[in-house]
Amino acid sequence: STSTLRYDGRVAVVTGAGAGLGREYALLLASRGAKVVVNDLGGTHSGEGASQRAADIVVDEIRAAGGEAVADYNSVIDGSKVIETAIKAFGRVDILINNAGILRDRSIVKTSDQDWDLVHDVHLKGSFKCTQAAFPHMKKQNYGRIIMTSSNSGIYGNFGQANYSAAKMGLVGLANTTAIEGAKNNIHCNVIIPTAASRMTEGILPDMLFNELKPKLIAPVVAYLCHESCEDNGSYIESAAGWATKVHTARGKGAVLRPTIEDTVTPEYVEKVWSKVTDMSQAKHLEAIAHASGSLLEVLENLKNGDKDAVEDTFTFASRELI
Ligand code: NAI
């Protein structure tokens, strides 16, 4: 039997919590004892205008259910103001869910500087500014749980979303480093890759799918990632329709691009071994940058020592054909 996951004494900041996924995160955390800052600028889905209504309605919902919440109407670009609201109202910040977002879909040719900049400002810079402002508080209390919101549009690309997919993949990079910098202070940072029915996906997702993709089904996954019992740090979790999985990067075995350390690399040699360079049949996930550089040192060592077997192992084909 598992005990109920509670958030008593925890303060959570949920950005873009006036609607969609953020609203569900805020409602769930508050229903389980967290004090919640409901941040929402209240503009249009393309980032125009502002209104206090979106945040106010969710704060009212939380209070009506007996929970504790305050509204914050700042843009996430002013991250320090958002976090200041938490400190003023509740004296701390334990959980930060970077969720606020907008869309300005255009093909690459039609994307204006403003379409590019605003999408990057809200998603990427906004998540950075809120994280940066929350970090000193989390370090001091030796505890923090941070979520970055990515998208399959970033992981796989999506026609007409150059600005959005770049920002969403940027958030994966931001999460990677946040996870490393926070680790020694028990500050964990994980990525959620959601697919949900919201005003953002209305008219984009097929009707049948849209109706099954309730944001409510993703909130428990994000809530678990934000709980003190969750040990994940630096994970990417995709979730939708009451299903979730971990996603990660993979690196192939690779191939050496020259017969000996004295040789140079030529485009012809690269062409010759390309099928080995791109062979993913022995691909592995690397846990850290040190493993990537470590394996390079190994390749160089083997080449230097003329360790035929070890080098052969990485470029059997090349050495036979081209020496
Ligand atoms: P939504 O449009 O319902 O909610 C986003 C909220 O963010 C809105 O209430 C909006 O007012 C607020 N917001 C926008 N700019 C803001 C700013 N500068 N400062 C503060 N608040 C701001 O959209 P949804 O679907 O709930 O999206 C939430 C997050 O999930 C976004 O980051 C989105 O990119 C991401 N996402 C959503 C997917 C989906 O299928 N719905 C798929 C992949 C990612």
Side-chain angles (χ1 to χ4, degrees):
S1 69
T2 48
S3 58
T4 310
L5 298 183
R6 299 279 312 173
Y7 302 84
D8 305 292
R10 299 290 183 208
V11 174
V13 173
V14 184
T15 72
L21 289 159
R23 174 177 166 273
E24 295 295 345
Y25 304 158
L27 292 175
L28 182 58
L29 290 174
S31 76
R32 286 162 176 263
K35 299 182 180 104
V36 179
V37 174
V38 175
N39 159 269
D40 207 292
L41 180 63
T44 66
H45 79 290
S46 57
E48 273 131 15
S51 152
Q52 305 196 340
R53 240 179 78 85
D56 284 344
I57 289 172
V58 175
V59 168
D60 288 348
E61 271 185 282
I62 290 172
R63 289 184 182 156
E68 254 188 278
V70 294
D72 176 84
Y73 316 114
N74 292 294
S75 169
V76 285
I77 299 164
D78 297 316
S80 56
K81 290 186 187 167
V82 177
I83 300 304
E84 202 42 46
T85 299
I87 302 305
K88 274 197 188 127
F90 304 125
R92 56 190 286 136
V93 54
D94 302 283
I95 296 167
L96 168 62
I97 304 179
N98 291 297
N99 164 81
I102 56 164
L103 283 180
R104 289 185 155 231
D105 291 2
R106 306 262 191 283
S107 65
I108 289 173
V109 172
K110 288 182 181 151
T111 297
S112 68
D113 281 5
Q114 208 201 356
D115 294 332
W116 179 270
D117 291 343
L118 197 57
V119 164
H120 272 72
D121 279 351
V122 173
H123 290 276
L124 191 49
K125 191 173 181 187
S127 299
F128 173 69
K129 294 302 282 184
C130 290
T131 300
Q132 186 180 44
F135 234 64
H137 300 284
M138 291 177 168
K139 282 178 100 165
K140 224 183 297 160
Q141 67 206 21
N142 220 40
Y143 183 78
R145 292 289 182 268
I146 300 172
I147 301 290
M148 302 294 176
T149 305
S150 188
S151 166
N152 276 334
S153 171
I155 310 288
Y156 305 105
N158 198 17
F159 195 98
Q161 293 195 314
N163 54 359
Y164 181 76
S165 39
K168 285 311 202 188
M169 211 51 188
L171 282 158
V172 172
L174 176 59
N176 291 339
T177 293
T178 306
I180 289 169
E181 290 195 12
K184 68 175 183 294
N185 288 106
N186 193 18
I187 303 168
H188 294 177
C189 180
N190 294 291
V191 176
I192 184 73
I193 306 169
T195 305
S198 74
R199 73 173 183 179
M200 215 178 242
T201 44
E202 218 172 339
I204 299 173
L205 293 169
D207 275 356
M208 200 280 276
L209 206 53
F210 192 82
N211 295 328
E212 293 307 321
L213 295 174
K214 296 180 177 61
K216 207 182 176 62
L217 298 171
I218 295 170
V221 177
V222 171
Y224 175 63
L225 285 170
C226 291
H227 196 266
E228 62 197 39
S229 66
C230 180
E231 286 170 8
D232 281 63
N233 189 21
S235 295
Y236 321 151
I237 304 294
E238 179 183 356
S239 182
W243 167 91
T245 184
K246 182 167 173 164
V247 174
H248 67 204
T249 53
R251 187 190 202 233
K253 192 174 177 201
V256 173
L257 305 175
R258 48 186 174 161
T260 74
I261 194 119
E262 274 79 41
D263 295 301
T264 187
V265 175
T266 65
E268 291 73 24
Y269 208 105
V270 172
E271 182 190 38
K272 247 332 186 192
V273 298
W274 196 245
S275 63
K276 290 198 120 205
V277 170
T278 56
D279 175 14
M280 295 301 277
S281 61
Q282 294 180 70
K284 271 196 218 144
H285 170 65
L286 302 190
E287 286 293 339
I289 194 168
H291 300 170
S293 26
S295 72
L296 294 184
L297 288 176
E298 207 178 297
V299 167
L300 280 176
E301 267 315 294
N302 291 338
L303 262 176
K304 263 192 220 149
N305 299 338
D307 183 337
K308 270 270 178 200
D309 287 346
V311 177
E312 283 264 316
D313 189 42
T314 43
F315 72 118
T316 319
F317 169 79
S319 51
R320 296 245 166 78
E321 296 292 305
L322 295 164
I323 287 177

